[in-house]
Amino acid sequence: MNRKKWIALPTAALLLFGGIVPVSATDAELQSLQTALLGASGLSQTDDVDGDGIVNGFDLCLLRSMQQTTGELTQQHYAATSESVKLTGRAMRSNDTTWLVQSGSAVSFTVTGTSASVTLAGDSSIQNEADYRPRYAVLVDGEIVADEVMSSAEKTMTLFEGEVIRTAKIQIIHLSEAMNGAVGVKDISAVSDRSDAVIPEKEKALSIEFIGDSITCAYGVEGSNSYEPFRTTTENFMKSYAYLTAQKLDADYSAVSYSGYGVLSGYTSGDINTDSLIPDCYGLIGKLPDYAKPWDFDTHSYDVVVVNLGTNDSSYVSKDAEARTPAFISAYVEFLKTLREKNPSAYLICTLGTMGGDLYPSVENAVEQYRTETGDQRIMSYESTLQNQADGIGSDWHPSAVTQQKSAYVLADKICQALGMESDQIGLDMAADAEYRLNIAAEKGGNAASYVGYDKSFWINMVTGGETPDAIEAEIAGVPLKNGGSYRLEFDCTSGYDGKLPVQVRGADGSIYFSSKFDAVSEKTHFSAEFTAEQDDAAASIIFQLGGKDSYNVTLSNISLVKIS
């Protein structure tokens, strides 16, 4: 059924219906129809309350008139169980409390009443120093109203209060990681005249599980510099690539992530570290003794499972790569088999590289070996882009918020590719996988040498500049563009030449999408400009025209072409 635009109608319009309808409706039914009419979810035939063959504002007005009420305001209490809340991630019910154990574990619900509050609980981790206690956030209608660490055994906080009935969406989310304790949700209270004042948020159509280490935990994402040590107060899962990917794709998620953990070895400065292995705790709700209970895989299924492991293994494998790499590949293959056993219908996506990708070829080998041994084709791998110091660095050299967001854009696109979904490509650097070329027109007198660094900086030395600007062109080739898409071109330049040089974005057919000039001087300068592509082009190029000048050198770095809309 096609979605209809929202139509605001007075309650008097219900008189038009004559008398034809079910006798009562729940808050959940009302919320479902209202959300659908506002375009947040699909409409169904059951939403045609008045039976006229059209789903519109009349149906919402009619359903509202049927809403169940108790007739008086009463104080109501609800447990944080699946009957009242949506449970996200790995949580455990114990002592009348729902414990949010893993990074990003959350409860979300809609509450209707004149006031509402929630009682939270702390475990033994409240005895930790303040910077190492579990961090959590509480959101009301998408706005963060509390962001703090759990410092007491029990705490009640008001979500909202007033004189009139209000309906609000609430989320309580664990922001730090499992090894530093859990956050408990003990009670949800509302003063309401509704029989179902607290109802769970709806499940989403897409669900993703993320398995990783400190990068997935968003370790140090809010740290002020790379030399800051670990603190839970700078760890924020809502700034993790995992959370941001789920948000972009409007997906439910779960995370299993532990700082310092690996597949063959956890982080080590010497011998193999077998105490910090993800495969050993993947089947558990959490690794701390209070939460080391088996996770019920039958109650949760995922469309995609993302594995971002190997960064910590590198600290062990790299010390004797020839002897230890086969063991890493073997351990990775066995873990993939476990993931397939627990997630029989999921697409597996393996990645590595944000903090260094020396083991990424081994991940590729493991994926290929797994395919060969099992015949399973629902798996892929890709190398994450190495973090750029220009984007900031978090605590202990961990990814910044900018890097995490960039990683999310890439992963969201990979998930779309894997599942056959259309990707909007927003946030992607279309030049990330481009080919760097130096085009020299010798017939125009051009003569130059070039070098591409590990960070994709492009160094060019003009021996003789030739007669015209196009006698020497530095080209970033194979850049895909979409018709109507808006793009931001950015790069840094340092040069022995003192002046302005031409830059273009040129189509495969020679058409010019963008043309300007940039400063080429001895001090590093930054260039940024935006343009809109006028056609689909699978192989456009960024062109720096460097000829027509006396001999000089130029370094172009941090070159990106990001789709912004």
Side-chain angles (χ1 to χ4, degrees), residues 546-557:
L546 308 176
K549 308 290 188 298
D550 293 334
S551 60
Y552 68 100
N553 60 66
V554 61
T555 301
L556 302 164
S557 57

Side-chain angles (χ1 to χ4, degrees), residues 443-460:
E443 70 278 8
K444 296 181 180 181
N447 186 7
S450 67
Y451 172 77
V452 179
Y454 75 94
D455 58 351
K456 293 189 175 181
S457 57
F458 203 176
W459 175 85
I460 306 102

Side-chain angles (χ1 to χ4, degrees), residues 73 93 102 109 129 137 270 305 312 323 349 358 372 503-504 516:
L73 293 170
R93 185 76 180 164
Q102 288 286 341
F109 55 91
E129 293 183 25
V305 174
N312 294 299
I349 299 179
D358 59 308
T372 301
V503 59
Q504 300 175 346
S516 184

Side-chain angles (χ1 to χ4, degrees), residues 311-327:
T311 301
N312 294 299
D313 295 270
S314 179
S315 65
Y316 169 73
V317 175
S318 63
K319 292 180 175 65
D320 189 352
E322 184 175 354
R324 296 172 179 177
T325 295

Side-chain angles (χ1 to χ4, degrees), residues 209-339:
E209 181 175 60
F210 300 92
I211 304 170
D213 47 36
S214 56
I215 298 171
T216 304
C217 295
Y219 175 126
V221 70
E222 294 179 349
S224 60
N225 60 68
S226 60
Y227 301 104
E228 270 194 4
F230 170 80
R231 299 184 179 95
T232 56
T233 48
T234 60
E235 191 171 46
N236 186 345
F237 186 79
M238 291 178 72
K239 295 181 179 179
S240 163
Y241 76 89
Y243 182 86
L244 296 170
T245 297
Q247 290 290 105
K248 179 169 175 56
L249 296 178
D250 191 29
D252 284 329
Y253 68 87
S254 180
V256 180
S257 53
Y258 295 87
S259 291
Y261 277 51
V263 180
L264 174 68
S265 173
Y267 182 81
T268 179
S269 57
D271 295 335
I272 190 170
N273 173 9
T274 57
D275 293 329
S276 303
L277 300 181
I278 290 289
D280 290 347
C281 55
Y282 177 64
L284 303 175
I285 296 172
K287 190 173 180 182
L288 289 178
D290 287 346
Y291 311 110
K293 314 294 183 186
W295 176 244
D296 187 355
F297 287 94
D298 291 336
T299 61
H300 296 78
S301 62
Y302 302 100
D303 301 291
V304 179
V305 174
V306 178
V307 184
N308 190 347
L309 291 170
T311 301
N312 294 299
D313 295 270
S314 179
S315 65
Y316 169 73
V317 175
S318 63
K319 292 180 175 65
D320 189 352
E322 184 175 354
R324 296 172 179 177
T325 295
F328 171 77
I329 293 173
S330 177
Y332 203 106
V333 170
E334 290 307 307
F335 186 48
L336 290 176
K337 292 177 181 178
T338 299
L339 293 180

